[in-house]
Amino acid sequence: MNDRKSTSIHIMALDGIVNVNSLFTLAVFLGLSINPNDPSYTLVDPASACAAGTSVAENLMAFHVYSFSSFLFSSLVASGLKQAIRMTAKGGDAGVMDMHSVGKVNREVLHSVGKVNREVLRAGILASALGSASGCVFLTLALVDLVQIKLGKLGCWSWYDLAAIGPLVILVPCALVIYICIVLHAFTRLKYGQFIVFFKSTKLLPPAYHSKLKHILVILIFTMSKDQVSFFSFRCPCYIVIFLSAFSSISFLYWSHCSSSCSSSDQMMVLQKENQQINLLTYPFAWNRLTFSSEPPPKLLKIALFVKKWPTRYRAGGLERHALTLHLALAKRATAAGYLNQAVVWSLFQAQNSSGKPFDMIHTESVGLLHTRSRNITKLAVSWHGIAYESIHSDIIQELLRAPEEPRAYALTERAMKVVEEVKFFPDYAHHVATSDHAGDILKRIYMIPEERVHVILNGIDEEVFKPDVSRGNDFKMKFGIPESKSLVIGMASRLVKDKGHPLMFEALKQILSENSTFKEHVIILVAGDGPWGPRYKDLGANLLVLGPLEQEQLARFYNAIDIFVNPTLRAQGLDHTLLEAVLSGTPVMATKLASIAGSVIVGKEVGYTFSPTVASLRKSLYEVWGDGRRILEQRGKMARERGLNLFTATKMAAAYERLFLCISCEGKQSTHYCSYQP
């Protein structure tokens, strides 16, 4: 009779495992149907650093697959055990039965004695239970990643994140441990001594753990024995389980906070959410992330601008373009009453500044105003578009790419001395503006400038000029005869010189076009700019179309005509304007994995591609872009533009500079509210 009852319990328990696994498997398939890269799916601003990155989406998919595998393993083992019990219970008969006898036979099976190896049966039941438990663990981890995609990273300590995940990581471990205890009780129906013999005979644990196992089983087995199967017999182990689960949940949340790649910008988001007043002079993040008033300030600023060269048409460099874009945007806000460029002599500036209407603010682009003349000027800010320490990375790359027959350059030694010189004279400037997050960190740590004198304001681009416009892109294609049959249009725009990475790009394209006829047939590369590498690109054949230098309006059309913009620059200085122009045009970007680019522009795979400055890495990225195709590129372009509108517009840049100038010009006065920010 006891054997029959045991067989009945085994079959019902196995049925329960299969049914529960089926329910969880349905949840897994629902999770697999989610597109985590869909910008409309998340409730977090995609431009925010609290938005989950590609790695979270990859983990979500992996945990779903692991969960499905565990549930499938558990169900298959349970089904196999059920069939073994039924076959042995009927003696292996395979007679023909009518439908009316099926129910009767099933009842007979349930009340028959199954002659199976009990040790194998218990081991199988234990494996099936562990499979279900593992599936639940992986499914819980997948749900945690799902919450991060929907509500933001755990490391940002959002209340909504904690409210969603807290019950999950507390209740599920509790339920799992209680489930395993009850399953063991229902499956084994053993006394303490029999349980120890079972573990020893099956060798599930090493002998060294047998003594520890005895102490644990004293609590679990005796409280769940046949003589104490009432509800209250479970109180003691349940209390222990709840305590351990709560402890593990707290540890899990702490681990999530510490292990999450929660950058400094995540902390910035927390400060804003808590509505804490921010001291702008010590604010360590990019001011572009803050939202300033669009109304002109009550105080009209008179600004003196020093720049080495005023931009002329399309031949302007990044520094000159920054000066033009910034101060034209300031003039539109009725902030800049006048400016001087480097062509005006220093004595004229001194005369104007000593008159009854001195300048409120002096702004110099890099060393447009020499440090020897800046020492005693307190209302001054210098914008750095490249510092010597950043260039060391470029020098290392150039040396690694140097051909054996080329003479060795001694730029590294010279650059180190220049870094020392800059560290000495940079403090002569009152305030420093870094155009990238990486440069701001260097000024504080390496150049040892006090943090209240270093401010990060990212470069901005005129959003009215550079914006998505399909019609302008089609017009550009028609003008230059770009065939519609091409499935991928790659674009580059820069000076075609060595330090812009064109030898690297040339060699990568040369290898791909020679080895892959399909790529050659379906891909075209547009090259905008002039320089010595222009004629060499033409030698690669009809797939390379060298357009020459383009003016701003043509460049805006160019970005709308291409599927991806590639910048293979080897110069680790400043923040490249062409990348920002492409981003605001809704075009995904691919660039060298330099600190300023990876830290401020291409912060993840969801907005673009990065590669190491080697031919092999560049080839791999080009093939990856080709494999992704236009649909994925369009999605990444949209996400990049959404982030760009929050960071890289001329309006955001001008508002940040205006607030900085107001703060500096009023520094030391009673009215210093310009130096504080209230979210």
Side-chain angles (χ1 to χ4, degrees):
M1 183 64 185
N2 289 335
D3 288 338
R4 288 175 178 169
K5 185 182 294 186
S6 178
T7 301
S8 175
I9 291 175
H10 290 155
I11 293 178
M12 287 188 293
L14 291 171
D15 281 332
I17 291 178
V18 174
N19 293 335
V20 171
N21 288 346
S22 301
L23 180 62
F24 286 146
T25 303
L26 176 61
V28 171
F29 278 111
L30 290 176
L32 290 173
S33 64
I34 295 172
N35 179 15
N37 293 323
D38 185 359
S40 63
Y41 184 75
T42 180
L43 299 178
V44 182
D45 182 5
S48 166
C50 284
T54 307
S55 60
V56 178
E58 292 172 348
N59 289 337
L60 173 67
M61 181 64 66
F63 288 141
H64 272 125
V65 174
Y66 298 157
S67 179
F68 173 77
S69 302
S70 300
F71 287 133
L72 184 60
F73 166 81
S74 175
S75 296
L76 290 175
V77 172
S79 298
L81 291 174
K82 282 172 55 181
Q83 294 302 320
I85 293 174
R86 284 185 172 133
M87 290 176 65
T88 55
K90 294 300 294 178
D93 292 338
V96 179
M97 299 176 290
D98 57 22
M99 293 302 295
H100 295 286
S101 62
V102 171
K104 180 180 178 181
V105 170
N106 285 336
R107 288 192 298 271
E108 290 177 356
V109 170
L110 288 176
H111 293 285
S112 300
V113 178
K115 299 178 180 179
V116 287
N117 189 315
R118 295 181 65 87
E119 293 182 358
V120 174
L121 175 63
R122 292 164 187 157
I125 289 174
L126 182 61
S128 181
L130 290 177
S132 295
S134 300
C136 290
V137 171
F138 288 125
L139 186 58
T140 301
L141 293 175
L143 289 174
V144 170
D145 286 333
L146 187 62
V147 170
Q148 292 190 87
I149 292 173
K150 193 75 174 177
L151 302 176
K153 293 180 183 177
L154 291 180
C156 292
W157 286 98
S158 165
W159 163 250
Y160 299 102
D161 273 346
L162 299 179
I165 293 176
L168 182 68
V169 298
I170 292 175
L171 298 179
V172 172
C174 289
L176 277 177
V177 177
I178 294 173
Y179 164 75
I180 292 176
C181 292
I182 295 175
V183 165
L184 287 174
H185 171 63
F187 289 171
T188 59
R189 310 279 297 178
L190 297 175
K191 295 183 179 179
Y192 167 71
Q194 293 174 310
F195 207 100
I196 294 297
V197 172
F198 164 67
F199 266 92
K200 287 183 177 181
S201 63
T202 53
K203 299 180 180 180
L204 293 177
L205 289 175
Y209 290 89
H210 287 171
S211 60
K212 297 179 180 179
L213 177 65
K214 291 180 181 180
H215 295 294
I216 297 174
L217 294 181
V218 165
I219 298 175
L220 294 179
I221 297 300
F222 279 125
T223 55
M224 295 189 299
S225 61
K226 289 188 296 183
D227 299 330
Q228 301 176 18
V229 290
S230 64
F231 170 78
F232 297 99
S233 64
F234 288 91
R235 285 185 299 178
C236 181
C238 285
Y239 291 155
I240 295 174
V241 167
I242 292 173
F243 172 79
L244 294 176
S245 299
F247 179 80
S248 65
S249 303
I250 295 172
S251 303
F252 174 82
L253 291 175
Y254 178 79
W255 167 82
S256 300
H257 173 66
C258 295
S259 63
S260 175
S261 57
C262 195
S263 63
S264 56
S265 52
D266 299 338
Q267 302 168 19
M268 181 273 296
M269 295 295 293
V270 173
L271 287 175
Q272 285 186 260
K273 288 181 180 179
E274 294 178 354
N275 292 322
Q276 296 180 1
Q277 192 175 62
I278 297 172
N279 182 0
L280 290 175
L281 288 179
T282 58
Y283 186 63
F285 317 113
W287 288 34
N288 309 60
R289 299 180 183 273
L290 304 176
T291 302
F292 299 105
S293 173
S294 59
E295 297 296 326
K299 178 181 178 180
L300 185 66
L301 287 174
K302 185 177 181 180
I303 303 171
L305 168 65
F306 289 86
V307 60
K308 287 183 177 180
K309 182 177 64 175
W310 197 248
T312 55
R313 301 182 68 187
Y314 50 78
R315 296 186 181 277
L319 184 150
E320 293 83 17
R321 293 167 68 186
H322 176 269
L324 178 63
T325 304
L326 170 61
H327 287 276
L328 286 179
L330 285 173
K332 290 179 181 179
R333 294 172 62 88
T335 299
Y339 55 83
L340 298 172
N341 61 27
Q342 186 64 13
V344 181
V345 294
W346 172 249
S347 59
L348 181 59
F349 165 77
Q350 287 181 312
Q352 175 70 20
N353 207 39
S354 60
S355 65
K357 296 181 179 180
F359 288 101
D360 297 301
M361 190 69 199
I362 296 91
H363 179 218
T364 173
E365 298 282 358
S366 292
V367 290
L369 180 62
L370 296 177
H371 68 93
T372 53
R373 294 171 175 169
S374 306
R375 289 172 181 167
N376 299 320
I377 303 176
T378 57
K379 298 177 181 180
L380 179 146
V382 54
S383 296
W384 296 112
H385 298 273
I387 53 182
Y389 188 87
E390 285 185 294
S391 302
I392 291 178
H393 188 190
S394 301
D395 295 335
I396 294 173
I397 296 172
Q398 296 278 15
E399 182 63 23
L400 292 173
L401 297 177
R402 181 179 61 85
E405 63 274 10
E406 293 181 3
R408 179 183 295 273
Y410 295 94
L412 278 172
T413 304
E414 297 173 359
R415 194 77 66 186
M417 294 305 300
K418 190 173 182 180
V419 171
V420 175
E421 293 177 4
E422 288 185 347
V423 172
K424 289 180 178 179
F425 76 76
F426 268 36
D428 291 341
Y429 295 98
H431 291 269
H432 303 255
V433 179
T435 56
S436 70
D437 299 279
H438 176 63
D441 181 61
I442 292 175
L443 290 174
K444 296 173 188 176
R445 292 190 304 105
I446 308 301
Y447 286 61
M448 296 173 287
I449 299 173
E451 64 175 9
E452 66 270 13
R453 294 171 55 191
V454 178
H455 321 286
V456 180
I457 301 179
L458 306 177
N459 287 343
I461 301 298
D462 191 342
E463 64 271 27
E464 296 300 322
V465 175
F466 297 97
K467 56 185 177 181
D469 192 326
V470 177
S471 61
R472 290 201 299 176
N474 292 334
D475 291 343
F476 188 90
K477 290 181 179 179
M478 291 181 62
K479 178 180 178 180
F480 289 96
I482 301 171
E484 293 291 335
S485 59
K486 299 296 182 180
S487 61
L488 182 66
V489 181
I490 299 174
M492 294 185 290
S494 68
R495 290 184 297 110
L496 306 182
V497 293
K498 181 178 179 181
D499 64 345
K500 290 294 185 177
H502 290 287
L504 198 70
M505 189 69 178
F506 177 85
E507 184 61 30
L509 290 174
K510 180 181 177 181
Q511 293 182 14
I512 293 176
L513 293 174
S514 63
E515 71 186 13
N516 195 319
S517 58
T518 307
F519 185 96
K520 185 175 182 179
E521 180 182 354
H522 294 93
V523 178
I524 188 170
I525 300 96
L526 308 183
V527 183
D530 58 353
W533 283 88
R536 301 184 189 183
Y537 277 126
K538 293 180 181 179
D539 294 338
L540 293 179
N543 291 83
L544 273 291
L545 186 59
V546 181
L547 308 175
L550 301 177
E551 295 191 16
Q552 188 181 70
E553 180 62 29
Q554 288 181 308
L555 202 56
R557 296 173 182 269
F558 165 81
Y559 291 123
N560 280 281
I562 61 179
D563 297 309
I564 187 166
F565 177 76
V566 181
N567 186 349
T569 182
L570 303 180
R571 297 186 63 184
Q573 291 181 307
L575 204 59
D576 202 298
H577 282 74
T578 56
L579 287 172
L580 309 186
E581 292 167 351
V583 165
L584 289 188
S585 300
T587 303
V589 293
M590 184 175 85
T592 318
K593 194 183 297 181
L594 302 175
S596 58
I597 295 174
S600 298
V601 185
I602 311 177
V603 295
K605 288 185 177 180
E606 60 272 13
V607 294
Y609 305 80
T610 58
F611 56 89
S612 299
T614 64
V615 174
S617 180
L618 179 52
R619 278 165 41 91
K620 181 180 178 182
S621 293
L622 288 171
Y623 274 125
E624 182 181 359
V625 168
W626 183 39
D628 286 345
R630 279 181 173 167
R631 186 179 64 83
I632 293 180
L633 292 177
E634 288 176 358
Q635 292 178 355
R636 295 186 175 181
K638 290 179 181 178
M639 295 188 69
R641 174 172 165 78
E642 289 179 7
R643 183 174 183 273
L645 289 174
N646 291 324
L647 294 176
F648 306 131
T649 65
T651 302
K652 296 282 289 187
M653 176 182 66
Y657 269 97
E658 179 185 79
R659 188 61 170 269
L660 174 64
F661 293 163
L662 286 168
C663 173
I664 295 174
S665 65
C666 296
E667 194 174 5
K669 300 180 181 179
Q670 290 182 352
S671 178
T672 57
H673 62 278
Y674 291 118
C675 294
S676 61
Y677 177 82
Q678 184 67 44

